[in-house]
Amino acid sequence: MSDKVFVSADEVARKAGVSRSAVSRTFTPGASVSEATRRKVTAAAEELGYHVNQLARGLMRNESGIVCLIASDVATPYRSALLRELTLQLQVAGKVTMFVNTDRSDGSVDRALHQAIRYRADASIILSGLPDKSITQLCLRNGQRLVLINRDDDQPGPLRINLDDRDAAGRVVSAFLRAGCTRLAFANSEAGTPSLMAREQGFIAVAKEHGLDVIVERYGWTGYEAGKIVAQRMLTRKERPDAVFCATDLLACGFMDAARHQFSLSIPDQLCIVGFDDIEQASWTSYHLTTFAQPVDTIAREAVTWLVDGRKDTPDGQSLKLHADLVWRGSVRGG
């Protein structure tokens, strides 16, 4: 088994009968090189199987072209959709994606950022956990640009992209009141992420403004099974809720199945439910779930544009609050 050998620019230069700098200029967009020289170089490169070493070229410019994506729970429909959109837009921008799959702890995010620094990543996009502020500052001192998506961190430097969860909570309360609901509940997991807690806190606050208390139940990981268990806890109470706002669609799907098949409740006649994320399953006939659509394409576009443009006019970072559209389906009366 032979060792892999990469063809060098010097070999291409010798084959084409030109200088090493002529090879470099040929493969540098916008560089000055005659058409005759370009033809000789490209013919020699094709014959030898030469490819530009973009990593070496980038490091000479102190840029690797690498953007590190740090995320957990990548199998969930929302997270996989966001990662897909981010990677597509980064590829279009000519960036190389390095993906680090973390658990849901802040410590694992810190380790991932250290790894991004070791690989000389130009930037990191963080979808999970919160890095320690000292690690964030270390990244910034090493020239990294950071994007925090649905994270609650007010330190200067990163771009912070969040959703207006308070606005969403207000619209859910209004929808439940129009449906004649008075016993409100919020179904959450124990993940405690900033976005999940912002939805919970916003919903409680808006309901309180209308003189209503909110039953809150949290359980486990933010998934389908947790939704079923939360439903079992809520629906065995002496006084059941008649409207439930679920922190995510996966929780809502589990909650709906438990409500129908274990408690024989009719949705929306006896119980109104709203989710969050607008995953594919929310539109399935068996759920037909009223929910909020995360603006995945806008989140990815804003993150990639901010990183690629290298906006030096915002050295202290920037905070964006995006709007989630309410998608009306059949899980709320009067929708």
Side-chain angles (χ1 to χ4, degrees), residues 263-312:
F263 297 91
S264 300
L265 294 177
S266 174
I267 299 171
D269 297 329
Q270 295 174 289
L271 180 65
C272 292
I273 296 180
V274 173
F276 205 102
D277 289 338
D278 195 30
I279 63 176
E280 180 184 357
Q281 292 86 338
S283 66
W284 290 359
T285 303
S286 56
Y287 296 112
H288 208 228
L289 175 66
T290 296
T291 183
F292 288 88
Q294 292 241 27
V296 171
D297 55 344
T298 303
I299 292 172
R301 184 175 64 253
E302 291 288 350
V304 173
T305 298
W306 192 78
L307 292 178
V308 172
D309 284 356
R311 297 178 184 172
K312 304 301 183 183

Side-chain angles (χ1 to χ4, degrees), residues 30-266:
S32 175
V33 61
S34 70
E35 188 57 36
T37 298
R38 186 184 302 278
R39 283 198 299 269
K40 287 192 290 184
V41 171
T42 53
E46 185 174 347
E47 184 177 342
L48 293 172
Y50 169 75
H51 295 279
V52 176
N53 188 335
Q54 295 289 4
L55 180 59
R57 176 174 287 188
L59 291 176
M60 290 175 64
R61 300 193 305 267
N62 201 28
E63 294 178 358
S64 66
I66 297 173
V67 176
C68 184
L69 298 181
I70 300 172
S72 66
D73 301 333
V74 296
T76 60
Y78 161 68
R79 188 60 54 78
S80 62
L82 180 55
L83 287 171
R84 181 174 63 246
E85 192 64 29
L86 282 167
T87 52
L88 286 172
Q89 294 202 29
L90 285 168
Q91 286 171 200
V92 170
K95 299 298 182 181
V96 177
T97 301
M98 181 175 80
F99 173 64
V100 180
N101 189 359
T102 71
D103 59 29
R104 291 182 289 277
S105 69
D106 294 346
S108 67
V109 176
D110 290 349
R111 291 190 292 273
L113 284 175
H114 277 295
Q115 186 173 353
I117 292 172
R118 288 194 295 271
Y119 279 89
R120 300 296 189 267
D122 294 336
S124 292
I125 301 176
I126 302 172
L127 291 79
S128 303
L130 278 176
D132 184 271
K133 291 191 176 184
S134 63
I135 303 298
T136 301
Q137 293 305 312
L138 178 62
C139 291
L140 297 173
R141 287 198 302 272
N142 278 268
Q144 270 206 39
R145 297 174 69 76
L146 298 178
V147 176
L148 307 179
I149 298 178
N150 288 332
R151 304 293 98 193
D152 184 15
D153 186 356
D154 60 357
Q155 63 178 305
L159 168 67
R160 299 174 296 279
I161 302 177
N162 292 287
L163 298 181
D164 191 342
D165 291 292
R166 171 70 182 228
D167 174 70
R171 283 183 283 165
V172 175
V173 172
S174 295
F176 286 161
L177 292 177
R178 284 198 301 271
C181 302
T182 57
R183 301 185 304 278
L184 309 188
F186 190 88
N188 205 348
S189 73
E190 293 178 325
T193 65
S195 56
L196 298 182
M197 296 311 298
R199 282 167 216 160
E200 177 183 311
Q201 292 161 7
F203 186 67
I204 293 171
V206 175
K208 187 175 181 180
E209 292 172 0
H210 291 272
L212 298 174
D213 293 325
V214 174
I215 298 168
V216 176
E217 285 284 357
R218 309 185 194 99
Y219 179 81
W221 172 73
T222 315
Y224 176 86
E225 290 299 325
K228 290 175 62 176
I229 292 173
V230 169
Q232 291 162 3
R233 290 180 175 181
M234 284 188 179
L235 300 178
T236 52
R237 287 171 172 264
K238 182 177 180 180
E239 189 169 333
R240 293 173 172 172
D242 58 7
V244 182
F245 183 18
C246 296
T248 71
D249 286 350
L250 279 180
L251 287 169
C253 290
F255 198 106
M256 292 176 78
D257 282 345
R260 286 168 169 160
H261 303 304
Q262 296 179 13
F263 297 91
S264 300
L265 294 177
S266 174

